[in-house]
Amino acid sequence: MSHEGIRIVHEDEARRIDEQNRSLPQQATEPAKVRVNKTEGTGMEIDWKDGHHSAWNFTWLRNACPCATCHEEREQEGRRPGEPKKKPAAALPMYEPPPRPVLVSPVGRYAISFHWNDGHTSGIYSWDFLRRHCNCDVCSKKELKS
C-alpha cells in the first residue's frame, strides 16, 4: 500500500529489503573460480575469494532469473527467486525439458549471462545477486534466522 510516496510493508518484507541493501564485503562477491557444468547439466558452482563455496542447479537458476520481466512475474505471484511457477491444472501435463543453458557468457567482471534452451536470454546474474542467493546449508540457516 502506498500513499503520497510512502510505502507500508510488512515486517518480514522490511527485513528482506534491509538484507538486500546491506553491502557485502568485496571478497564475498568476487569469484575465485566459476564452474558452469553445462555438459553434465548439473548447474554452476562458485568458489568465492573469501573462501565460501556456492552451488546452484540449472532449474533454480532459470527460476531465479533476475531480468525485469521474470522479477516482476515472481513478485506478482509471491514467489522467491528460484521458486518454480505453479503448474496449471491440466488433464495431461505437458513435458518440458529441464532448463539448460545453450550458451554461457561473462558480463564484464561483475556477472554471468545464460541463454536458456527455452529461448530466454535477458537475465544477467551479478556476482552480488548469486552470493545473496547462495543455497548452501550455512546461508540457508542465516536466511531462516532473519
Side-chain angles (χ1 to χ4, degrees), residues 39-61:
T39 305
E40 299 86 354
T42 55
M44 180 171 70
E45 299 175 51
I46 298 178
D47 294 325
W48 302 98
K49 286 188 177 179
D50 68 354
H52 193 76
H53 176 81
S54 301
W56 306 266
N57 64 46
F58 289 135
T59 299
W60 189 95
L61 288 165

Side-chain angles (χ1 to χ4, degrees), residues 1-9:
M1 171 167 69
S2 62
H3 180 67
E4 295 183 34
I6 299 172
R7 183 169 175 236
I8 299 171
V9 296

Side-chain angles (χ1 to χ4, degrees), residues 123-143:
I124 295 175
Y125 298 74
S126 72
W127 304 135
D128 185 83
F129 174 85
L130 291 166
R131 181 60 186 260
R132 289 179 189 277
H133 293 91
C134 178
N135 293 323
C136 79
D137 290 340
V138 172
C139 293
S140 295
K141 287 177 185 171
K142 282 182 192 174
E143 187 175 300

Side-chain angles (χ1 to χ4, degrees), residues 14-143:
R15 255 192 245 117
R16 183 178 54 79
I17 291 168
D18 286 345
E19 182 69 20
Q20 287 174 343
N21 293 330
R22 177 180 56 89
S23 292
L24 293 172
Q26 185 175 356
Q27 291 212 338
T29 59
E30 285 187 14
K33 186 174 187 179
V34 177
R35 290 176 298 284
V36 180
N37 303 312
K38 188 176 153 195
T39 305
E40 299 86 354
T42 55
M44 180 171 70
E45 299 175 51
I46 298 178
D47 294 325
W48 302 98
K49 286 188 177 179
D50 68 354
H52 193 76
H53 176 81
S54 301
W56 306 266
N57 64 46
F58 289 135
T59 299
W60 189 95
L61 288 165
R62 177 61 185 94
N63 288 327
C65 177
C67 80
T69 302
C70 292
H71 177 76
E72 287 175 15
E73 182 181 280
R74 274 194 310 275
E75 278 196 340
Q76 288 175 353
E77 295 175 5
R79 292 184 293 120
R80 297 175 58 105
E83 191 175 321
K85 295 178 187 178
K86 291 188 170 102
K87 300 283 183 189
L92 295 171
M94 298 296 294
Y95 171 77
E96 288 182 27
R100 289 185 76 145
V102 176
L103 179 67
V104 181
S105 306
V107 180
R109 296 181 56 107
Y110 72 95
I112 192 165
S113 175
F114 298 96
H115 290 210
W116 296 101
N117 59 340
D118 65 1
H120 191 65
T121 62
S122 54
I124 295 175
Y125 298 74
S126 72
W127 304 135
D128 185 83
F129 174 85
L130 291 166
R131 181 60 186 260
R132 289 179 189 277
H133 293 91
C134 178
N135 293 323
C136 79
D137 290 340
V138 172
C139 293
S140 295
K141 287 177 185 171
K142 282 182 192 174
E143 187 175 300

